[in-house]
Amino acid sequence: MTPPQFQARRATLDDLPALRPLWETERLDAVALEKRLTEFQVACDAEGRLLGAVGMQRHQQHGLLHSEVFADFALADTLRLLLWERFRTLGRNYALARMWTRETSQFWRSVGFDPADEEQLAKFPDTFGAAEAGRLLTIKVRDDPFADMTPEQEDVMLKQHLRADTEKMLQQARTLRAVLYGVLGIFGI
């Protein structure tokens, strides 16, 4: 007997009929989550049946894993691992520095999520809701290049970058003008 094959992918409108009852079973606000469908990654079996889903809300360099649901909790940890691999890839693609979750399953601790300390909680985005100590787990996805910078330092760095870009464009314009005058001079125009 071959082991079951599962796949993870982004949720589509076709998944809503299967997701609604799962959200409702977990007493989640299905109407609100429908509007946020693009946040969800789903796990399906070989026949394409939806077996589970987890959402990830993004804000700047942070991602919040939320609203996990499963059709069969016997498969939950297997599907969580599949979905976690997908979220790690998405985190790298979106250049996330940190991921967060309020999910209580021991699985999240086993893959490296730890309770957030006071310093980490201070960086928790307000758009994700309240930063409750003891309820939030977090994992560092990559180093945050701006972590130790003050907003003023970030501003200075951005302005320097913009000045460098402007200077480069001006230099290209001067070079193009010189080439154009050279061509016009050759043809005597």
Side-chain angles (χ1 to χ4, degrees), residues 16-181:
L16 276 176
L19 280 170
R20 273 187 209 109
L22 293 176
W23 289 332
E24 290 166 357
T25 298
E26 293 296 318
R27 295 193 170 107
L28 300 172
D29 186 350
V31 174
L33 293 176
E34 282 181 32
K35 296 174 185 171
R36 298 169 56 188
L37 180 66
T38 58
E39 292 180 8
F40 283 85
Q41 301 297 315
V42 297
C44 301
D45 64 12
E47 287 80 40
R49 288 184 300 249
L50 192 138
L51 301 174
V54 178
M56 181 176 73
Q57 183 180 359
R58 289 184 297 127
H59 179 74
Q60 296 175 348
Q61 294 182 325
H62 297 268
L64 175 68
L65 302 181
H66 65 88
S67 308
E68 69 173 18
V69 291
F70 299 98
D72 180 357
F73 277 92
L75 296 173
D77 281 347
T78 301
L79 300 176
R80 281 183 184 111
L81 181 59
L82 180 68
L83 291 165
W84 171 235
E85 290 301 321
R86 181 129 172 101
F87 283 121
R88 285 182 41 194
T89 300
L90 289 172
R92 286 190 297 271
N93 291 347
Y94 291 133
L96 298 181
R98 184 163 293 281
M99 284 192 204
W100 305 83
T101 191
R102 291 183 179 96
E103 299 297 338
T104 58
S105 166
Q106 185 59 33
F107 170 83
W108 298 109
R109 297 288 305 269
S110 75
V111 294
F113 280 80
D114 289 315
D117 61 29
E118 290 302 316
E119 183 180 326
Q120 293 164 336
L121 286 172
K123 296 177 184 179
F124 185 71
D126 293 337
T127 57
F128 294 163
E132 314 106 282
R135 275 217 61 221
L136 276 168
L137 300 177
T138 187
I139 188 170
K140 184 170 141 180
V141 178
R142 67 174 179 88
D143 288 327
D144 182 358
F146 303 107
D148 298 327
M149 289 186 173
T150 65
E152 293 80 21
Q153 291 171 322
E154 287 181 38
D155 224 23
V156 167
M157 191 171 104
L158 177 63
K159 287 177 182 175
Q160 288 173 341
H161 181 71
L162 291 174
R163 261 190 243 118
D165 282 351
T166 302
E167 183 56 41
K168 183 179 175 183
M169 286 188 333
L170 288 172
Q171 182 59 41
Q172 289 173 339
R174 286 190 286 269
T175 302
L176 185 59
R177 186 176 58 198
V179 168
L180 182 63
Y181 285 146

